[in-house]
Amino acid sequence: MATGWPYFDPEYENLSIRINPPRVSVDNTTCTDCTLVQVDSVNRPGILLEVVQILTDLDLVITKAYISSDGGWFMDVFHVTDPHGNKVTDSKTIDYIEKALGPKGHTANGLKTWAGQKIGVHSMGDHTAIELIGRDRPGLLSEVSAVLANLHINVVAAEVWTHNRRVACVVFVNDDTTCRAVDDPSRLSAMEEQLENILRGCEADEKAARTNFSMGFTHIDRRLHQMMFADRDYEGGGLEVEADYSPLLKPKITIDRCEEKGYSVVSVRCKDRSKLMFDIVCTLTDMQYVVFHATISSDGPHASQEYYIRHMDGCTLDAVAEKERVTKCLEAAIRRRVSEGISLELCAKDRVGLLSEVTRVLRENGLSVTRAGVTTVGKKAMNVFYVRDASGNPVDMKTIEGLRKEIGQRMLLNVKKVPTSANAPETSRWAKTSFFFGSLLGRFLA
């Protein structure tokens, strides 16, 4: 007697969403100083990260949040502002939130086709995404960009993170002649070989550096977290932690047990900054932990976040070794985006080889890039570099003045000092500690 697999309707997974569609409310009347975004939806794996990701990709700052998803329903309230601390009043932004988090955002073709692109998840139709990871060293970004320029590859956008002497980078490139994605196998092979040689440097271990290509789509920040987590950057040994980070910026993380409900309670207190909740939720999700309840609040310059979690298999965090691992991974997730010292914001007319030229000048002036964001809007290239000297120390302002004289005639240069004190004043809420390429890349790729 012939047997076969039972039929499974591919739309069954979305059945509960169709029966109970998500309800999204954007409220500007209840609070005087922020906008309330309330989401009620059928609970499903990864929904919290999805919601937080959409809000942070719009450059919204989450000042408070209340999360409850114990059972079959997901009920969240987020207090958000724009990057300058104002309410969210732009009608297009509000409309996007309602569409992205509402029923249309969960259909197969709803959100991805709305307004051309999904913000933060960038289609690679005319671009190739390159993922690089290896050991960090002064001048590495300059060498990588020089290799791409020599291969007639144009860098359209990029983001670079460094942590514990490791570097991760996602670069969007195209052919400098056709402005199309690079898909020729021989060119990709040559590019991969040269980039891995640069990343590996003098290290004999072939696993010391990796290069991957993608023609699909990727969420930049999520992918950078995944790359560095897979690279085990959280096992840095602690030496660089003491040297590179102010004690005032060191996060305080504790893990306790809630006996009554059978949860592990992860408490995080650290200096507040944009995308902090995203970084923590992203890491917990990638470590296969489920958040059932959470409270998020900002107290002046500090943030306090508390998560009630269990592993996907239902277990709590009881083993000492696993507690230490989760603590290290969360510390790493928080620190990857923290930068102290000097940031250089450059704007110039876009052209092939521009990134190679800029990073070469930085290297020749003894500057090491600790974090970078590169994007193109229209015919303008907009770059932000967080820099230190080659030894990892703060940059002498005489060096900056020399740099300004050297490149100031060819491009606009804005120098900002990133506060190292938790109580240092800032002219705007986040302008000096983070850059916002979500909306810029959305405009560029739309």
Side-chain angles (χ1 to χ4, degrees), residues 24-55:
V24 182
S25 169
V26 180
D27 176 9
N28 269 316
T29 59
T30 301
C31 294
T32 59
D33 58 349
C34 66
T35 299
L36 266 60
V37 178
Q38 183 171 339
V39 183
D40 296 335
S41 171
V42 172
N43 195 18
R44 56 186 173 80
I47 187 172
L48 175 59
L49 176 59
E50 180 181 310
V51 172
V52 174
Q53 180 173 295
I54 287 171
L55 295 177

Side-chain angles (χ1 to χ4, degrees), residues 218-290:
T218 183
H219 183 276
I220 301 176
D221 291 3
R222 178 90 192 272
R223 189 65 192 125
L224 286 168
H225 275 304
Q226 291 173 335
M227 290 165 62
M228 300 205 88
F229 175 70
D231 193 55
R232 305 172 77 91
D233 70 316
Y234 53 88
E235 296 180 344
L239 294 177
E240 188 180 70
V241 169
E242 297 300 325
D244 285 4
Y245 294 96
S246 164
L248 293 171
L249 299 180
K250 181 177 175 62
K252 296 179 180 178
I253 300 172
T254 60
I255 300 176
D256 299 309
R257 181 175 172 82
C258 177
E259 296 287 350
E260 182 182 354
K261 296 291 185 180
Y263 298 123
S264 292
V265 185
V266 178
S267 300
V268 180
R269 185 169 174 81
C270 62
K271 187 178 187 295
D272 199 14
R273 61 166 174 78
S274 70
K275 300 192 178 183
L276 178 63
M277 185 180 181
F278 169 82
D279 294 338
I280 293 173
V281 173
C282 180
T283 300
L284 290 173
T285 302
D286 288 339
M287 296 185 75
Q288 298 188 321
Y289 284 97
V290 179

Side-chain angles (χ1 to χ4, degrees), residues 121-142:
V121 179
H122 311 301
S123 172
M124 295 295 104
D126 289 335
H127 310 88
T128 301
I130 307 175
E131 298 176 355
L132 308 171
I133 193 157
R135 184 174 178 83
D136 189 30
R137 66 175 187 274
L140 179 61
L141 183 58
S142 173

Side-chain angles (χ1 to χ4, degrees), residues 317-429:
L317 269 165
D318 297 322
V320 174
E322 182 63 8
K323 286 184 178 181
E324 291 178 351
R325 179 171 175 266
V326 170
T327 299
K328 287 182 178 179
C329 289
L330 291 176
E331 286 182 352
I334 293 169
R335 285 173 166 155
R336 288 169 194 150
R337 211 190 290 267
V338 171
S339 299
E340 300 179 52
I342 298 292
S343 71
L344 307 176
E345 301 177 357
L346 298 99
C347 181
K349 184 178 180 181
D350 189 36
R351 56 183 171 79
V352 176
L354 176 63
L355 180 61
S356 176
E357 176 188 335
V358 171
T359 53
R360 174 185 56 78
V361 172
L362 296 179
R363 182 189 63 191
E364 290 175 349
N365 281 271
L367 300 179
S368 179
V369 177
T370 60
R371 190 164 144 245
V374 176
T375 191
T376 309
V377 181
K379 296 182 179 180
K380 292 291 185 181
M382 304 175 68
N383 305 334
V384 178
F385 301 96
Y386 288 84
V387 295
R388 294 184 177 184
D389 69 15
S391 301
N393 299 316
V395 179
D396 190 329
M397 290 309 296
K398 291 182 179 179
T399 303
I400 298 298
E401 290 305 316
L403 182 68
R404 192 191 298 274
K405 291 179 181 178
E406 185 171 353
I407 65 175
Q409 301 297 323
R410 305 193 299 277
M411 60 189 72
L412 296 175
L413 172 62
N414 187 24
V415 180
K416 293 184 177 180
K417 183 175 177 58
V418 181
T420 56
S421 167
N423 297 314
E426 297 185 17
T427 55
S428 64
R429 180 159 189 142

Side-chain angles (χ1 to χ4, degrees), residues 2 30 58 64 94 135 147 152 173 187 193 196 207 216 241 298 300 314 324 358 395 413 416:
T30 301
L58 289 168
K64 291 182 181 179
I94 293 174
R135 184 174 178 83
V147 165
H152 303 285
V173 301
R187 293 188 72 189
E193 180 181 359
E196 287 196 352
K207 295 182 180 180
V241 169
S298 299
E324 291 178 351
V358 171
V395 179
L413 172 62
K416 293 184 177 180

